[in-house]
Amino acid sequence: MAEAPSHDAELFRGGRAAIQAAGEPLLRRAQAAGAARPDAAFDDVLRLVAGLTVISFADPGQFERVLTMALDGLRPRPEPAPGLAAPEQP
């Protein structure tokens, strides 16, 4: 247990396959409902979540702020009204 399993280990591959099988349909349904960006791949979401779970935060408030920022990035952006320019992206 002192060392993380290799990405080639059966334990890792089996766990990843289970996460993919559960998560991909959820993301597709969210995208179809307009609740998630259409350009997001499940692997993108998985890496986002993994990044948030391996770092420590100064306090619970900071975690909530960072999580909200991450989720805001996953939400779809509204389409501009016809004839209006799209908002500039940073």
Side-chain angles (χ1 to χ4, degrees):
M1 295 299 289
E3 294 182 23
S6 161
H7 287 204
D8 293 328
E10 181 61 33
L11 175 67
F12 183 85
R13 286 183 292 154
R16 184 165 179 91
I19 290 169
Q20 294 276 139
E24 282 188 26
L26 290 173
L27 178 60
R28 284 194 300 270
R29 286 197 303 267
Q31 289 168 323
R37 294 170 58 130
D39 62 336
F42 180 70
D43 190 59
D44 299 335
V45 176
L46 189 59
R47 290 173 189 274
L48 179 109
V49 171
L52 289 173
T53 60
V54 298
I55 58 175
S56 60
F57 295 91
D59 57 68
Q62 183 183 37
F63 171 75
E64 291 296 325
R65 287 189 309 276
V66 172
L67 178 60
T68 299
M69 287 187 278
L71 292 176
D72 285 345
L74 188 58
R75 290 185 185 106
R77 295 189 174 128
E79 293 292 321
L84 296 178
E88 289 193 25
Q89 302 302 314

